[in-house]
Amino acid sequence: MATPSDILRVLRTRAGTFVSGQALSAELNVTRTAIWKHVKALRAAGYQIESRPKLGYRYLSAPDALLPTEITEGLTTTYIGRQSIIYFRSCPSTNDAAREVGHRGAPEGALAVAEGQTRGRGRLGRGWVSPAGKGIYLSLLLRPRIRPEEAFQLTLLAAVAVARAVTGEGVAAKIKWPNDVLVEGRKVAGILTEIEAEADRIYQAVVGIGVNVNTTASLFPRSLRATATSLRMNTGHKHSRVQVLQRLLEAFEELYEGLKAGRFEEVLAEWRSLDITRGALVKATLLEGEVQGRATDIDRDGALLIAEEGGEVRRITAGDIEILRPATP
Ligand code: BT5
């Protein structure tokens, strides 16, 4: 059974020229009525396809949307964002969607992606502003063979993958412990890893990633205008969300393969090379108070090490930090 994406593929390989209904039906082994139905479905999804009597169909353009047909076109991954994609124009949170498909047995690498979210989540009950059609809001379902306390590795890995995708757009990205991707000191992306586990085993993990791609300043609430940015705000032009997403998935799979093969050290080395926290004077806000000092490194468990003025080294496992003075190069 030919699908709308089969028709799209054939029309795209001959972009700019008309392909007759007859040629399409012969190539895909479907009736001309079925082809017309599929073309109508593609148009309803936002594709521009011209049809002319006697000449046939001509592909013109794709919508600016994160449709599965667009995501998989030319994507080089084998399982991340490939076998199973759930797409939403809008949903409360893609992390919930990915968790649910995971419960129903979806394979590792299943992707939930949305044009916009109504209840995008950050950590610790915070929100993630998710205006429709502007950013990338995605969650990946994973079943890693790591212990629950090693789940931070997925967050660091995701940050590196996002940084690579952002850099691919000609924008220099940095990482701030534990999960912020920054461009010129402002947050362009955030990561929320949620796991379901028993004492020594993870059943499934969901890595949620939000990237501000074409978001404009007015779409951020006033409270975020000084701290949030997007690729577009940085470069002054629109970026292809599909392209950024594909690069992100490709980087993620490469890094995740490394992690599964026991080479987390390599991910960590790349993370360190992008980290702006190390060497900076920072303030960590914890439930039990504040810790201030120089961030020296992260340890093997992903905890941030802060050397206090008196010389004592404090280990911060969760929370947020503020950079008071950047590291001097
Ligand atoms: C995060 O939390 O940075 C994790 C964000 C993860 C979002 C993705 S989108 C797809 C998936 N589905 C979800 O529901 N979530 C994931 P945290 O470190 O707690 O940062 C949250 C804080 O960042 C907020 O309190 C705001 O200050 C700020 N913020 C909110 N929306 C932002 C945005 N779009 N851009 C930059 N900063 C934002």
Side-chain angles (χ1 to χ4, degrees):
M1 267 285 280
T3 62
S5 19
D6 294 323
I7 293 185
L8 198 58
R9 205 182 53 245
V10 175
L11 291 179
R12 271 178 162 165
T13 52
R14 305 199 209 129
T17 59
F18 279 96
V19 185
S20 72
Q22 197 180 4
L24 275 171
S25 87
E27 183 159 344
L28 296 168
N29 199 19
V30 282
T31 64
R32 291 172 70 165
T33 322
I35 288 169
W36 174 235
K37 240 178 56 199
H38 289 333
V39 167
K40 277 210 299 207
L42 288 166
R43 282 182 179 161
Y47 287 95
Q48 290 203 320
I49 296 169
E50 192 182 348
S51 61
R52 289 253 195 97
K54 298 211 175 70
L55 288 174
Y57 302 98
R58 180 161 71 155
Y59 174 83
L60 295 176
S61 66
D64 176 17
L66 301 170
L67 298 171
T69 39
E70 292 301 297
I71 296 171
T72 50
E73 174 77 21
L75 182 72
T76 61
T77 62
T78 57
Y79 62 96
I80 294 290
R82 179 154 282 282
Q83 291 145 339
S84 167
I85 303 181
I86 353 162
Y87 168 80
F88 301 93
R89 274 188 199 280
S90 173
C91 73
S93 160
T94 55
N95 264 37
D96 294 339
R99 189 180 60 227
E100 281 156 26
V101 296
H103 290 164
R104 284 188 257 124
E108 173 156 271
L111 168 71
V113 62
E115 300 291 348
Q117 296 180 121
T118 53
R119 279 205 301 274
R121 281 204 299 277
R123 293 172 303 141
L124 311 164
R126 292 183 292 224
W128 186 254
V129 176
S130 313
K134 303 296 178 186
I136 298 170
Y137 317 108
L138 74 91
S139 300
L140 286 168
L141 174 77
L142 304 169
R143 304 183 189 284
R145 295 211 177 120
I146 55 177
R147 293 192 311 277
E149 63 272 24
E150 291 171 321
F152 77 91
Q153 296 180 353
L154 300 173
T155 303
L156 301 196
L157 186 158
V160 174
V162 172
R164 280 196 195 172
V166 168
T167 308
E169 295 294 300
V171 176
K174 293 282 176 194
I175 298 172
K176 174 172 161 246
W177 184 90
N179 68 329
D180 291 355
V181 180
L182 306 182
V183 166
E184 290 181 1
R186 293 169 179 227
K187 189 158 172 172
V188 77
I191 295 150
L192 174 67
T193 302
E194 296 178 310
I195 59 165
E196 285 170 52
E198 58 184 42
D200 55 1
R201 186 170 83 94
I202 290 180
Y203 297 124
Q204 65 174 35
V206 170
V207 176
I209 302 174
V211 189
N212 304 323
V213 180
N214 293 322
T215 322
T216 48
S218 62
L219 293 169
F220 290 119
R222 226 165 266 287
S223 58
L224 288 185
R225 292 207 189 138
T227 55
T229 192
S230 71
L231 295 183
R232 182 174 177 176
M233 284 163 69
N234 187 261
T235 62
H237 63 82
K238 270 184 84 174
H239 292 255
S240 158
R241 288 184 301 144
V242 170
Q243 183 172 299
V244 175
L245 174 54
Q246 289 179 330
R247 288 206 173 118
L248 201 168
L249 296 173
E250 286 163 4
F252 196 99
E253 183 168 295
E254 190 187 325
L255 293 159
Y256 189 56
E257 279 298 291
L259 178 129
K260 289 204 284 192
R263 299 195 309 268
F264 178 66
E265 284 299 328
E266 286 174 21
V267 178
L268 197 55
E270 192 168 341
W271 189 91
R272 282 194 171 111
S273 75
L274 296 163
D275 174 30
I276 53 159
T277 319
R278 194 155 36 128
L281 182 65
V282 300
K283 182 170 84 178
T285 310
L286 312 170
L287 288 176
E288 63 275 17
E290 286 178 357
V291 177
Q292 192 167 314
R294 198 157 299 283
T296 54
D297 203 353
I298 56 170
D299 67 13
R300 284 197 54 90
D301 301 321
L304 183 70
L305 304 175
I306 299 180
E308 288 182 309
E309 197 134 283
E312 196 187 334
V313 175
R314 300 280 296 268
R315 206 174 154 266
I316 314 293
T317 52
D320 287 298
I321 54 155
E322 188 187 331
I323 296 186
L324 301 174
R325 196 178 335 117
T328 36

